Amino acid sequence: MKKGSGSYPPVRVQGDGRGVVAQAGAVLMVETARRAGLDAALAAALAPWRKPRTVHDPGKILLDLALATALGGDCLADVGVLRAEPAVFGPVASDPTVSRLIDTLAAAGPRALAAIRRARAEVRERVWRLAETAAPDRGGEVVVDIDGVLVLAHSEKEDAAATWKKTFGHHPLFAFVDHGSAGSGEPVAGLLRPGNAGSNTASDHIAAARLALAQLPTKYRRGRRTLVRTDSGGGTHEFVNWLAARGRWLSYSVGMTITEAIHQAVLLVPASAWTPAVEPGGEVRDGAWVAELAGDVLKGWPKGMRLIVRQERPHPGAQLRFTDADGMRLTCFATNTTGTPIAQLELRHRQRARAEDRIRAARGTGLRNLPLHRAAQNRIWLEIVQIALDLLAWMPMLALTGEARRWEPKRLRLRLFSAAGQLATTGRLLCLRLARHWPWTHLIISAFDRLQARCGSPGRGGGRPTPDPTGSGTCSPPTTWARISSTATSRRPRTARSSWSSAATCAASTRPTCASPSSATTTPRT
């Protein structure tokens, strides 16, 4: 009788392979960062914290941490995933160097945070311009969702405290720009708060909104073209007054707590005043109606505020609340938008739930826990997480189309970033060859080509030039890869030398041309 080998074929495992690249699909994020000028922007922003004669640039270290986090890392030591692939990610700093930089930036406090945020805002404006019709402001409006996140702590950390859910940890407040149903979203604010911070603290919502507006292009930092959405935590007099203040004139759609006055006003609404709620496709939402309240419930609120309430049959098994009426679940929100049917306004506010998808993605991208002890260090970590989420939002926006653009980070890691590859040199060109049998190889190649076609050369007419490693001036970065193909090769790759180029070498014809030393100043590297 023939002995079976089980459900899977037996293999021999050896550790002597050469030229094999793990996480080869991550070249898409590397190219996104380079083409958007994120590496150069971070290098310029963190230049004050670069010591003389240092080898590793602080901006490159911070970007490496963000790339490792985007690949699924959740601590500083996970940057070792990049260090193992120098031909793809360039030289990566050691763990002690990374830790020292985090301590240095944490000691700098608000100065370092402001520098990182300015770099992100600068690159964000460029990315939106490159994305054209795929940008989140394609309709002339930007939607910002503000929501709190509970981050658990399993050890004593600074500012960790009991939360309102009877857990222990922190309660940061995040803001995300919504990309709509065709895309995902990107973070524009992350405010670290103690675990016992309130859900409806107006000062925190105002601080988060200020950070979010500073990340937007200048034309969206005030005016009706920017819509701020929150849950009932933002439905306070102080926050709504701040949004509607003269000179700011922001649009808002904030959830409201069902008070006794609102409850009594709902009971007085006649049946003919209720309008059926609608679904995103325009069809009527079964068992849901909306109406607008007026009268005394608006006293004390900003002029022009509208109060809209929805009643809906609860799903089977749901328990009613004391504020519900006649067996119907009641929800309420306030807005200052006019000229739009209340059913459409209610649908727009209901789509704020997409912020929960962004929070779920953030939890899987470094926000599952805060890995450092001091609050100042964890504030830097929050910025790293936001840079990682920026890359995970910008890459699909610039390079993917169709259903793939809506993939969340978990699926991007499984299908694209985890693709295996092999490096080879062909005529002084470095080539990354992906596995031909991988089902999504064609998607990676087309996305890479789309990045290069959409963004063009980052050093010619778009983006900022990267620092010259020789210290003689500035130069535009070379082409990342001479070619990406789906074939295989056994040739041994060359070793990467530039910390800014994702590829090891380029052809002589693609070598960057450096400007004179007088046109820019950089710190020499040894």
Side-chain angles (χ1 to χ4, degrees):
M1 184 178 71
K2 185 176 181 181
K3 185 177 180 180
S5 60
S7 301
Y8 300 96
V11 296
R12 177 183 296 177
V13 179
Q14 298 180 181
D16 56 354
R18 295 187 301 177
V20 180
V21 178
Q23 304 283 349
V27 67
L28 292 177
M29 285 193 300
V30 174
E31 189 68 2
T32 299
R34 292 184 62 253
R35 295 285 168 170
L38 181 59
D39 53 357
L42 287 174
L46 299 183
W49 291 276
R50 179 174 181 172
K51 297 180 179 179
R53 303 181 66 83
T54 55
V55 174
H56 296 284
D57 188 276
K60 172 68 161 56
I61 296 176
L62 206 70
L63 185 54
D64 285 341
L65 288 170
L67 288 170
T69 305
L71 291 175
D74 58 3
C75 65
L76 300 182
D78 286 336
V79 77
V81 175
L82 276 61
R83 192 181 300 117
E85 304 293 349
V88 179
F89 302 104
V92 176
S94 64
D95 290 344
T97 301
V98 171
S99 297
R100 285 194 298 268
L101 175 65
I102 297 300
D103 290 339
T104 300
L105 296 179
R111 282 185 59 231
L113 293 174
I116 297 172
R117 290 163 181 166
R118 282 195 302 269
R120 292 178 55 219
E122 174 189 338
V123 177
R124 191 182 318 279
E125 185 171 4
R126 168 172 164 76
V127 170
W128 287 13
R129 186 169 62 251
L130 292 173
E132 298 175 343
T133 57
D137 62 341
R138 59 190 175 277
E141 182 184 61
V142 174
V143 180
V144 178
D145 293 316
I146 301 177
D147 205 350
V149 185
L150 290 180
V151 181
L152 302 185
H154 300 284
S155 62
E156 290 289 343
K157 297 179 180 180
E158 189 176 356
D159 286 347
T163 70
W164 63 275
K165 280 195 173 182
K166 302 185 184 300
T167 57
F168 182 78
H170 297 81
H171 189 189
L173 197 63
F174 271 80
F176 299 90
V177 169
D178 186 21
H179 287 192
S181 58
S184 56
E186 55 192 277
V188 286
L191 185 66
L192 184 62
R193 305 189 300 166
N196 55 4
S199 298
N200 59 350
T201 305
S203 58
D204 292 342
H205 279 78
I206 292 174
R210 289 185 187 277
L211 293 176
L213 293 175
Q215 285 292 307
L216 303 181
T218 305
K219 63 181 179 180
Y220 294 116
R221 295 178 184 177
R222 64 179 60 197
R224 298 295 189 193
R225 290 184 295 179
T226 300
L227 171 69
V228 177
R229 295 188 302 202
T230 71
D231 56 10
S232 58
T236 60
H237 285 270
E238 185 178 352
F239 183 57
V240 175
N241 287 335
W242 184 87
L243 292 172
R246 183 178 180 87
R248 197 168 288 117
W249 297 304
L250 297 170
S251 297
Y252 60 84
S253 181
V254 298
M256 302 291 287
T257 303
I258 303 291
T259 62
E260 180 62 24
I262 293 177
H263 184 264
Q264 294 300 323
V266 171
L267 297 179
L268 299 178
V269 176
S272 59
W274 292 96
T275 301
V278 297
E279 297 286 6
E283 61 273 14
V284 173
R285 184 178 177 88
D286 184 42
W289 299 266
V290 294
E292 184 171 359
L293 303 181
D296 293 341
V297 291
L298 296 178
K299 287 185 177 179
W301 293 95
K303 183 180 179 180
M305 192 185 90
R306 306 173 66 187
L307 200 60
I308 299 174
V309 65
R310 182 186 74 179
Q311 64 174 5
E312 186 171 17
R313 296 192 188 98
H315 63 271
Q319 292 184 340
L320 293 175
R321 298 168 296 193
F322 287 109
T323 54
D324 295 332
D326 297 330
M328 306 291 283
R329 172 65 51 83
L330 297 180
T331 56
C332 185
F333 70 97
T335 183
N336 59 349
T337 302
T338 59
T340 303
I342 59 174
Q344 291 295 328
L345 294 177
E346 190 276 330
L347 171 64
R348 184 186 69 176
H349 183 76
R350 197 187 333 141
Q351 290 173 338
R352 193 204 66 81
R354 282 199 286 256
E356 300 299 331
D357 297 334
R358 309 288 80 78
I359 292 174
R360 184 177 63 251
R363 291 186 188 277
T365 312
L367 203 61
R368 182 180 61 86
N369 70 325
L370 299 178
L372 305 171
H373 176 73
R374 293 191 291 117
Q377 294 172 319
N378 284 323
R379 290 189 181 95
I380 301 298
W381 178 257
L382 279 189
E383 295 301 318
I384 293 172
V385 170
Q386 291 179 76
I387 295 173
L389 292 172
D390 282 338
L391 289 173
L392 289 170
W394 294 342
M395 188 277 291
M397 185 168 63
L398 294 173
L400 299 180
T401 58
E403 183 65 23
R405 192 196 159 185
R406 301 178 66 248
W407 288 355
E408 293 192 358
K410 184 177 180 180
R411 182 163 294 182
L412 289 172
R413 296 182 190 117
L414 178 65
R415 296 187 175 184
L416 300 186
F417 302 156
S418 63
Q422 193 171 36
L423 285 169
T425 53
T426 304
R428 298 186 65 191
L429 297 178
L430 188 64
C431 181
L432 175 63
R433 294 178 174 175
L434 304 177
R436 181 181 295 171
H437 63 274
W438 189 249
W440 300 280
T441 291
H442 70 285
L443 194 60
I444 299 174
I445 295 176
S446 61
F448 188 87
D449 293 341
R450 195 174 292 111
L451 268 176
Q452 293 188 322
R454 183 190 292 271
C455 302
S457 175
R460 296 188 178 97
R464 299 165 58 169
T466 60
D468 177 18
T470 65
S472 60
T474 59
C475 61
S476 58
T479 305
T480 306
W481 303 103
R483 183 170 62 233
I484 290 188
S485 65
S486 58
T487 59
T489 181
S490 60
R491 298 186 62 181
R492 186 174 181 176
R494 298 180 182 178
T495 304
R497 295 188 180 275
S498 171
S499 62
W500 293 106
S501 173
S502 300
T505 55
C506 297
S509 59
T510 61
R511 187 172 299 165
T513 302
C514 295
S516 62
S518 59
S519 62
T521 58
T522 55
T523 304
R525 299 170 60 184
T526 59

